[in-house]
Amino acid sequence: MTDATMQGSGIQRPQRKSSSYYRMRRRCVRGLQIVALLFVLFYTLFPYYWAFVSSTKQGGALYHSALLPAFDFTYYRQLIDNPVFMRSLLNSVYVATTTTFLSLIIGLSAAYALGRIDFPQRRAMLMIVLMVSIFPQVVVLSGMFELINWLGLFNRPSALVLTYLLSTVPFTTWILTTFIREFPRELEEAAIIDGCSHFRILMKILLPLMGPSLASTGILAFILAWNEFLFALTFTLTDENRTVPVAIGLIAGTSRFEYPFGQIMAASVTVTLPLIIVVLLFQRRIVAGLTAGAVKG
Amino acid sequence: MSARLARRDHRAAWLFLVPIILVMLLVALWPLARTFFFAFTDAYLDNPSAYSMIGFDNFIEVIQDHNWWVAVKNTLVFTVISVAIETVLGIAIALLVNEAIPGRGLARAAILVPWAIPVVVSTKIWEWMLNDQFGVINKLLIELGLVDHGIAWTANSSLIMGTVIFVDVWMTTPFMVLLILAGLQLISPEIFEAAEVDGIPAWKRFWSITLPMLRPAIGVAVLFRVLDALRMFDLAYVMAASNENVMTVSIYARDRLISFQELGVGSAASTWVFLLVALVAIIIIGVLRLDRAAGH
């Protein structure tokens, strides 16, 4: 109400219709907006809610569309007792954290050069980094296959760390460059005048300020690595070396006619719950990271 | 700055770039070069070192394959329709979430959820919801009396492309919303207030102020989404690995390369994918004049 009257008084418009007409109209618009927002929330969240509901139903109940969860966690206990699934969870954690860690180090180093030092090939380097981050993974598949065989990494989770660098390193470099440019240059001026080396400037002045930027970039790289499918499917052969997306992608029933949707939903909830918690906790930082590279870059 | 200092700076810059250059040479340039190389050979995956050069034969074999053109058609249909829907939905949701209404903070967080879920997981969730016998969507449709028996959304060959597009829209509209929302927040609200004072109707404010000012943000979002859609693999692979109605160029190339072990032909198909994506990227950047729109 106060909001509406404030807006009304702020606009010096010739009043052709009565003010109550405008108030009514504004209320209707507001109402429609809230309905639309609720619809958007339902559309984005219901599938995940339904996955949770389905994962807590047993046997025949799974096939009844009761909207409330049954809170029977048998499928989750089965997952915990399943060494193959736990192993793939562990593989995913290992691959995603190692990839994130390496990408942040390499990306930070490159981002300092690209964001802070003026050198003639700077723009060209930035374009190359951007181009590498958008080319389709399938294009490097044969060459990568040979490289991994040559390094003796085939069917090892470490092979995935190496191949994921293809997409995460350009990505972290691009975002960290944008973040570094946002820090005022005055911060380092005294250090430059004192003849401080670039390495010291990065480590002693910028790094302590970059915690939040590194966190948001790191989360994005982690999600990218955690969710990757094509390389993980191609470069691991045996169950105990798979990552969770591949493990879930390949779960099938014992026969063509039985489909273990209860287990699949439990596994789905398990692998995404940590991601969703991180996303909700660091929502602002993630948005900052996603949009930093795209809009301001 | 003196020339000597500048030279010292340039050297420092390259030192900082050593790690990324090494990594990119190893995981991008070298594999890419080898893919191009293998495309001209008759090598097989089980013994890549036994090959002979056969010129452009593999490239010709791929473009004479009916399935390749089916894959190209699927990929282009998928890309155009899904990105178009995502752009319209993305603009609509971004405008809505940008309004000062209760719950918009929650909505902004919630729209991140589909984006963060692994593609494989989203695919499985929707596969379950769209199941012909037990899926909640079919049950709802039956209860509403819209259909009298469940529809096989993921098995019916004429519905599967629509289903894949639908799931992709659900997964990637959030990305669109975020980028467009960021663009919206760069526009100063005074422009809209001035237009409102002048009595310009809402749809016209949207058409002649909001949309033109959002062009750079929408352009970047569309470019990213198109390039992402052109390489789509996991969604179609998990939902319908063997259904040729949603086989994309990435699936085709990987099939030839890994499943059929044809290193030469698979590499040629990959090279065609590369050329296709490069062509589309050049066209989009040219049409949208992204370099100029971005103001650099």
Side-chain angles (χ1 to χ4, degrees):
Chain A
M1 257 310 281
T2 50
D3 192 30
T5 42
M6 260 166 58
Q7 273 182 23
S9 63
I11 299 163
Q12 300 295 323
R13 192 193 333 221
Q15 300 258 311
R16 278 165 293 148
K17 297 196 173 84
S18 72
S19 61
S20 69
Y21 166 82
Y22 283 108
R23 208 177 307 135
M24 262 316 281
R25 213 182 72 161
R26 215 169 284 128
R27 268 192 208 156
C28 285
V29 169
R30 175 61 51 99
L32 281 176
Q33 281 171 346
I34 290 172
V35 170
L37 196 70
L38 287 175
F39 183 76
V40 169
L41 280 175
F42 176 78
Y43 170 66
T44 50
L45 293 180
F46 180 75
Y48 196 69
Y49 171 76
W50 189 246
F52 172 70
V53 170
S54 304
S55 71
T56 64
K57 290 177 184 168
Q58 285 298 304
L62 181 60
Y63 304 111
H64 298 131
S65 40
L67 283 171
L68 291 174
F71 294 110
D72 179 332
F73 293 101
T74 312
Y75 289 134
Y76 291 89
R77 270 195 293 277
Q78 283 173 1
L79 277 182
I80 294 170
D81 291 340
N82 180 343
V84 175
F85 182 80
M86 290 316 277
R87 186 64 199 262
S88 61
L89 205 59
L90 209 65
N91 288 337
S92 273
V93 171
Y94 161 70
V95 169
T97 29
T98 315
T99 307
T100 307
F101 189 66
L102 288 174
S103 306
L104 283 180
I105 294 175
I106 301 166
L108 182 66
S109 172
Y112 180 77
L114 295 169
R116 272 305 195 242
I117 306 177
D118 285 315
F119 61 104
Q121 300 83 359
R122 206 179 60 91
R123 268 197 75 80
M125 272 306 286
L126 269 171
M127 281 324 288
I128 292 173
V129 167
L130 188 64
M131 269 158 55
V132 171
S133 70
I134 58 183
F135 73 55
Q137 283 97 329
V138 77
V139 171
V140 294
L141 211 55
S142 17
M144 205 72 107
F145 203 93
E146 196 194 30
L147 178 74
I148 283 168
N149 267 331
W150 180 62
L151 293 172
L153 289 176
F154 188 70
N155 197 25
R156 296 220 193 140
S158 302
L160 301 182
V161 175
L162 186 73
T163 57
Y164 290 178
L165 293 179
L166 170 69
S167 41
T168 54
V169 165
F171 179 78
T172 50
T173 303
W174 188 261
I175 296 181
L176 287 175
T177 304
T178 327
F179 278 135
I180 283 188
R181 279 203 201 146
E182 278 176 7
F183 291 113
R185 248 176 199 275
E186 289 80 53
L187 283 174
E188 306 127 59
E189 256 158 23
I192 293 173
I193 291 167
D194 289 348
C196 207
S197 75
H198 285 290
F199 186 72
R200 272 186 74 88
I201 293 175
L202 176 61
M203 298 306 282
K204 299 282 175 198
I205 301 173
L206 283 173
L207 198 60
L209 296 169
M210 290 200 66
S213 313
L214 286 171
S216 48
T217 315
I219 292 168
L220 290 170
F222 186 90
I223 292 177
L224 216 63
W226 184 269
N227 295 355
E228 206 280 338
F229 183 71
L230 173 61
F231 286 156
L233 176 74
T234 309
F235 298 133
T236 53
L237 268 186
T238 45
D239 283 343
E240 71 272 13
N241 292 317
R242 297 224 154 96
T243 59
V244 259
V246 180
I248 292 176
L250 299 180
I251 292 178
T254 43
S255 80
R256 246 191 104 235
F257 303 99
E258 180 209 15
Y259 218 56
F261 274 114
Q263 279 108 299
I264 295 177
M265 292 303 115
S268 299
V269 171
T270 309
V271 304
T272 30
L273 203 60
L275 287 187
I276 290 182
I277 292 170
V278 168
V279 161
L280 295 181
L281 282 178
F282 293 94
Q283 189 226 126
R284 275 171 202 287
R285 300 241 52 91
I286 293 172
V287 173
L290 264 181
T291 51
V295 179
K296 293 167 205 152
Chain B
M1 208 193 290
S2 78
R4 209 166 54 93
L5 270 178
R7 256 205 316 280
R8 212 193 67 173
D9 261 7
H10 298 171
R11 216 175 28 241
W14 288 110
L15 275 177
F16 279 106
L17 290 169
V18 164
I20 193 175
I21 291 172
L22 287 180
V23 167
M24 287 299 111
L25 283 177
L26 187 69
V27 299
L29 201 69
W30 171 254
L32 189 66
R34 290 303 279 174
T35 301
F36 291 159
F37 172 78
F38 280 125
F40 293 97
T41 70
D42 58 0
Y44 274 79
L45 204 57
D46 52 352
N47 188 8
S49 49
Y51 62 81
S52 49
M53 304 301 290
I54 53 165
F56 286 92
D57 287 6
N58 291 330
F59 292 93
I60 294 163
E61 186 182 334
V62 171
I63 57 171
Q64 280 177 346
D65 183 357
H66 169 72
N67 283 334
W68 162 256
W69 290 106
V70 171
V72 170
K73 196 199 89 185
N74 289 339
T75 307
L76 293 178
V77 167
F78 168 79
T79 302
V80 170
I81 300 181
S82 66
V83 176
I85 299 174
E86 283 155 25
T87 309
V88 174
L89 259 183
I91 295 173
I93 297 178
L95 286 172
L96 180 70
V97 177
N98 197 39
E99 291 286 327
I101 40 178
R104 67 171 174 162
L106 179 67
R108 276 184 209 176
I111 52 173
L112 276 167
V113 169
W115 169 82
I117 299 180
V119 175
V120 174
V121 169
S122 315
T123 310
K124 287 288 178 192
I125 293 177
W126 279 104
E127 212 180 342
W128 166 232
M129 288 176 58
L130 293 166
N131 185 287
D132 52 347
Q133 289 180 62
F134 310 112
V136 67
I137 306 261
N138 276 323
K139 285 201 170 144
L140 183 74
L141 291 177
I142 291 169
E143 269 169 38
L144 289 174
L146 294 172
V147 292
D148 49 3
H149 58 88
I151 298 168
W153 299 102
T154 55
N156 186 318
S157 56
S158 55
L159 290 176
I160 178 109
M161 178 56 94
T163 307
V164 166
I165 290 174
F166 176 83
V167 176
D168 187 71
V169 166
W170 182 78
M171 288 190 302
T172 46
T173 303
F175 179 75
M176 223 47 165
V177 173
L178 289 178
L179 292 197
I180 295 172
L181 197 58
L184 266 179
Q185 282 162 354
L186 293 178
I187 307 175
S188 74
E190 283 87 30
I191 299 172
F192 295 103
E193 280 161 22
E196 206 176 344
V197 172
D198 290 344
I200 294 166
W203 66 268
K204 208 169 175 187
R205 287 202 300 266
F206 169 73
W207 194 254
S208 8
I209 303 175
T210 316
L211 218 47
M213 295 201 75
L214 276 181
R215 209 182 68 157
I218 296 175
V220 171
V222 167
L223 178 70
F224 281 171
R225 276 301 309 139
V226 165
L227 296 176
D228 214 29
L230 286 175
R231 63 185 174 190
M232 190 270 273
F233 176 81
D234 27 15
L235 171 54
Y237 185 86
V238 173
M239 193 168 267
S242 53
N243 193 324
E244 74 156 20
N245 291 292
V246 286
M247 175 187 271
T248 63
V249 286
S250 284
I251 296 181
Y252 177 90
R254 187 190 177 274
D255 261 6
R256 299 291 303 241
L257 190 68
I258 306 294
S259 310
F260 307 154
Q261 304 270 304
E262 297 169 305
L263 185 54
V265 184
S267 299
S270 303
T271 306
W272 280 123
V273 174
F274 181 81
L275 294 174
L276 176 76
V277 173
L279 181 74
V280 173
I282 290 167
I283 292 173
I284 294 182
I285 293 172
V287 167
L288 295 174
R289 300 235 187 98
L290 281 180
D291 46 341
R292 256 187 265 169
H296 290 297

